[in-house]
Amino acid sequence: MGTGLEVLTTGLVERGGGFQLVDGIENSDISFPDDGLSKLYDIEEESYWFKHRNVCFGHLVNKYSGGGVFLDIGGGNGVVSKALQDDGLEVVLVEPDPIGCRNAVERGVSNVFSGTLEDLPLRPGIEVPSIGVFDVLEHIDDDLAALEGFYSVLSEGGHLFLSVPAFNFLWSEEDVHAGHFRRYTKRSITEVVERVGFEIVEVGYLFSVLCIPILIMRSIPSWFGFYKVQGETVNRDHGSSGGLVSRFVSRRLKSEFNRLKSGSGKMVGSSLYLVARKTG
């Protein structure tokens, strides 16, 4: 890697292969289950969900990013950071959970900071042309304040790459268990991002094939109090165990990616992606 956290920042110490402030980090405003990252780490490499998200944002970042430092905010176990790093980007993972940081180091992410973006001590004059926030904003109570923080760090003309869960009608007990405060629509995510001062570059839906299964298997049972969160469903939900259903979904997702590249994305999906530019 070209620069590294030692050059980008000041006042950090290396511990366990990652970096943190000398005094460490104690608090975070992110709502997330205690064992969430550990469970995800075991399935991320084989999950059609994570693979598809990586492929889609690999395309979007390559399309819009001008290179330079890419901050992956709240990047968990580093599954996106590692994919972008393998594509040649200078990625810095910023993750407040020490478990996620350790997993990211084990995965091979070169630059890992244990803390929040607010804690990251960037040196004066450091340009940050790209920030990624992948399925993080829904875990933050004050999403507007979080977006204002991203805006303040980005250099002029820099890009924000964002993904969030879509549609309130897909809300279920899984969202409660995951620590979500909300789900979004194109309109609601666009409004809050533009309110901060960003210019929307591209926005659309992902995982269209999952809408009906989530509605039938999670949302509707949750409305009537029948749905119970079970930890052993993680492998099934992410398709990491293979099988006919996983292969069918993977083929549909490949078709969705081709539509994304051609600029004719789906009208619905269980997730939203957004690319925005700092213009002020």
Side-chain angles (χ1 to χ4, degrees):
M1 302 293 285
T3 56
L5 273 169
E6 303 97 323
V7 176
L8 297 173
T9 61
T10 181
L12 299 184
V13 293
E14 184 175 4
R15 289 178 183 155
F19 291 82
Q20 65 180 68
L21 293 171
V22 175
D23 295 332
I25 303 297
E26 297 181 358
N27 299 310
S28 170
D29 293 329
I30 297 176
S31 171
F32 200 75
D34 292 338
D35 59 350
L37 291 179
S38 297
K39 289 181 178 179
L40 290 176
Y41 184 66
D42 293 333
I43 58 93
E44 285 168 337
E45 297 292 343
E46 301 302 323
S47 163
Y48 57 66
W49 195 92
F50 285 100
K51 287 180 179 178
H52 184 58
R53 191 181 66 170
N54 276 356
V55 168
C56 291
F57 275 100
H59 163 73
L60 292 168
V61 171
N62 182 65
K63 182 178 179 180
Y64 294 112
S65 174
V69 179
F70 188 104
L71 298 185
D72 181 8
I73 308 300
N77 299 315
V79 65
V80 181
S81 289
K82 184 60 164 58
L84 295 177
Q85 177 181 294
D86 289 346
D87 284 343
L89 273 74
E90 182 73 26
V91 183
V92 174
L93 172 65
V94 181
E95 170 56 47
D97 191 326
I99 294 174
C101 292
R102 287 194 294 270
N103 290 340
V105 170
E106 183 175 332
R107 176 166 269 146
V109 179
S110 297
N111 298 312
V112 178
F113 173 67
S114 180
T116 65
L117 178 60
E118 183 180 18
D119 301 316
L120 184 66
L122 291 171
R123 293 183 185 275
I126 292 293
E127 294 283 323
V128 178
S130 301
I131 286 179
V133 190
F134 305 112
D135 293 277
V136 172
L137 198 63
E138 67 274 14
H139 294 276
I140 302 174
D141 188 14
D142 192 343
D143 55 352
L144 179 64
L147 287 163
E148 289 172 341
F150 307 148
Y151 189 90
S152 67
V153 171
L154 272 172
S155 55
E156 186 174 351
H159 286 84
L160 172 70
F161 299 87
L162 181 72
S163 63
V164 290
F167 294 119
N168 285 328
F169 70 79
L170 292 179
W171 184 270
S172 75
E173 285 300 313
E174 286 285 353
D175 291 281
V176 177
H177 176 70
H180 295 174
F181 286 100
R182 69 197 71 80
R183 300 178 75 96
Y184 293 85
T185 61
K186 271 188 181 182
R187 180 176 180 179
S188 64
I189 190 63
T190 297
E191 285 179 349
V192 70
V193 169
E194 288 183 332
R195 186 176 172 187
V196 174
F198 283 106
E199 173 190 21
I200 305 300
V201 176
E202 186 172 337
V203 60
Y205 291 101
L206 298 174
F207 300 104
S208 59
V209 68
L210 299 182
C211 279
I212 292 178
I214 290 174
L215 180 65
I216 294 174
M217 298 175 66
R218 291 184 181 177
S219 303
I220 293 176
S222 292
W223 300 345
F224 296 100
F226 297 143
Y227 186 83
K228 302 298 181 185
V229 176
Q230 298 178 4
E232 62 268 20
T233 64
V234 172
N235 286 337
R236 182 200 67 193
D237 293 345
H238 283 272
S240 57
S241 57
L244 290 174
V245 174
S246 296
R247 290 196 290 271
F248 169 76
V249 173
S250 296
R251 287 195 297 270
R252 292 289 301 274
L253 293 179
K254 184 176 181 180
S255 174
E256 180 177 271
F257 174 62
N258 290 332
R259 290 175 63 91
L260 172 67
K261 289 195 298 182
S262 69
S264 57
K266 297 286 188 176
M267 297 297 292
V268 296
S270 62
S271 293
L272 271 160
Y273 74 89
L274 180 144
V275 182
R277 182 188 300 112
K278 179 176 178 176
T279 58

